Amino acid sequence: MLVGAVVTVLGANLLVRPLSALEVLGYYVGASCVLSGLGDLLGQRGERRDRVVLVQGVAWLVAGLAVVVWIGRSIELLGPFVAVLLIVSGSVSVVALVRDRSSAAVLRALFGASETAWGVMALWWPDVTLLVVAVLFGARTAAFGVALVWRGARGDRAVSRHAPPSVPAIRWASAVLVLAVAVAGLYVSNLFRAGLPVLDDFYDAPASVPAEPGRLVRSEPYDGDLPAGLTAYRFLYTTTASDGSPALASGVLAVPEEPSAEPAPLIAWAHGTVGVARACAPSLGRAAISTEGMPAMDALAERGWAMVATDYTGMGAEGEFPYLVGAGEAYSVLDSVRAAREVPGVRLADQSILWGHSQGGHAALWAGQLASSYAPDAGVVGTAALSPAADPLGLAEVVTANPGVPGASLGIAFVADAYTRTYGVALDALVAPSALTIVREAASRCTGEGGTLFTILGGLAIARDQPILREPPGEGPLADRLAENVPTGPWAAPLFVAQGTADEVIPVRLTEAWIPRACASGATLTFSTYDGGTHMSVLEPDAPLSGQLEQWTVDRFAGVSAPTDCSIRSD
């Protein structure tokens, strides 16, 4: 009873705080394996001997010792090792039905099938493998402890992880329930894995690529969910990577279906966070330019405007994605303007205006900042940054200070992945060992896919006990890099900055604190806030922002002098 009570507490603690620390988890899992193996072996006495259970007992015992001594110290090995162990152990119980059809064997097979299912799910979703393993072994250990307490209370000296014969109904009900949950988990996992975007050969680099940036490589019709009155093309173009090397990027160009006698003024759209993987490119889906999550879309056809939306480098086309890396984002945006003018069959004006939201707001600010030096031929006459991530360092500090917020782990993972690739910092120098797998898996997923939920849950589980980053973002190797990606101007063209006061992703106070820095560079800046507006609600068609953005854009194309709020924000 004493051993059972200790084991029950051990398992319950693992259930409540599954990822408190990698080494602790390793010892927990190893101890659970050892105890399960001992339970199997000690329960095989006299006529009750069962070869399958004996083999499983030895396997669990050996595996537990291996985890405690060696594997438990490696984040890369622990999860997959135990996942495979679950699959093998469960499969042995199922295969044993070939020679033994007794009720006990059937019961073991039901539990074995559920173990196999959990193991498969753990391999499918590496970023939550440890979470699955910790919860599963926590439950297993707690159940074993309860069984020991039960046997001790009944005076039963036979120690086994199997429940006593006096409660067969409970064991059968438990087996059926656990298997049902596992099957449901497999079904849901399969749904999440289905329908993921697949890159086609359109994004492959051709044998010959123009040397200069902003040149069209290829284009084709794009059949997306476009705003009324538009037709579109998907295109591949040359640009410049964050490190200054030649690169490729993809995008979508939408133009009015009814051509005008005059060339169409061009809006360049910089999209917000959708992930950092190649398959997250908006041009792969149907919403690269749509009324969902984009403001003032009805104005495009009505005003005779065209819109080009870049995917950025590394998204669609091969390369490194510049997530909150200002120069890389800016090059992709500005070169999309240049290349769009080469798409056959369209006539675009020499003037362009940049719009961007969230991460795209950061990209738009950087593109406006670099336009006159990098791409004066883009003809940028204004930049609109909506709910912008204008201060990456301040935003990183807010996110890491609130790790329990859903999605925080994604933002941290995206920045860690992009900055290690761009600046050559080792990922394990930035990220805590228990979070390495989650960060890597997050970097391979897109925010719109169902599997991202697993990443969020795994991040929340880790963040309860320890930060994902080894050091706060204001310290260590990230600090200077984040600070140098804050756009500080100057901007040759006027700025329009807008944000909701209830923004739950980027606190409006960060933008308000950044505005004086922009004004200090001499910017002509209009700053609008919307009471109660959230990160996405400000983009809705009937939201005040859309009408204000449309009129501001009309005035910029018309050459009307832009108003500025900097005179009242100079302090």
Side-chain angles (χ1 to χ4, degrees), residues 19 58 74 107 196 214 300 336 357 486 554:
L19 298 178
V58 172
S74 171
L107 195 57
L196 298 181
L300 296 181
S336 73
H357 176 252
V486 176
V554 167

Side-chain angles (χ1 to χ4, degrees), residues 41-66:
L41 296 177
L42 293 176
Q44 300 302 299
R45 297 181 179 182
E47 296 179 358
R48 298 177 61 185
R49 291 180 184 276
D50 185 309
R51 289 183 180 179
V52 173
V53 177
L54 283 171
V55 170
Q56 286 179 308
V58 172
W60 283 114
L61 186 60
V62 172
L65 292 174

Side-chain angles (χ1 to χ4, degrees), residues 90-106:
S91 299
V92 169
S93 295
V94 174
V95 172
L97 282 176
V98 174
R99 66 175 183 81
D100 184 359
R101 303 294 179 87
S102 66
S103 60
V106 173

Side-chain angles (χ1 to χ4, degrees), residues 239-244 312-313 320-335 362-371 374 419 422-423 481 484-487:
T239 185
T240 305
S242 299
D243 62 0
Y312 308 109
T313 57
E320 303 297 345
F321 180 65
Y323 187 75
L324 294 181
V325 179
E329 293 171 328
Y331 299 151
S332 291
V333 172
L334 294 169
D335 285 325
H362 179 263
L365 289 171
W366 268 90
Q369 176 177 289
L370 297 181
Y374 178 78
Y419 276 51
T422 300
Y423 299 114
R481 296 303 188 182
E484 71 185 45
N485 280 290
V486 176

Side-chain angles (χ1 to χ4, degrees), residues 173-196:
S174 299
V176 171
L177 177 61
V178 171
L179 182 58
V181 171
V183 170
L186 279 176
Y187 176 74
V188 172
S189 295
N190 187 59
L191 289 180
F192 282 161
R193 290 169 62 86
L196 298 181

Side-chain angles (χ1 to χ4, degrees), residues 218-293:
R218 65 169 69 100
S219 64
E220 66 179 23
Y222 172 77
D223 182 24
D225 297 326
L226 299 168
L230 300 180
T231 187
Y233 306 87
R234 180 171 67 163
F235 67 102
L236 191 71
Y237 63 98
T238 59
T239 185
T240 305
S242 299
D243 62 0
S245 62
L248 290 176
S250 52
V252 170
L253 170 66
V255 297
E257 289 178 330
E258 298 295 331
S260 170
E262 299 296 325
L266 184 61
I267 307 291
W269 172 255
H271 68 75
T273 300
V274 295
V276 295
R278 286 186 65 188
C280 301
S283 67
L284 267 173
R286 299 184 56 81
I289 297 178
S290 78
T291 55
E292 295 295 323

Side-chain angles (χ1 to χ4, degrees), residues 455-484:
T455 303
I456 294 174
L457 292 176
L460 289 174
I462 287 179
R464 287 186 60 188
D465 297 310
Q466 63 183 50
I468 291 178
L469 297 178
R470 287 182 178 271
E471 297 179 274
E475 305 172 12
L478 263 185
D480 291 341
R481 296 303 188 182
L482 287 166
E484 71 185 45

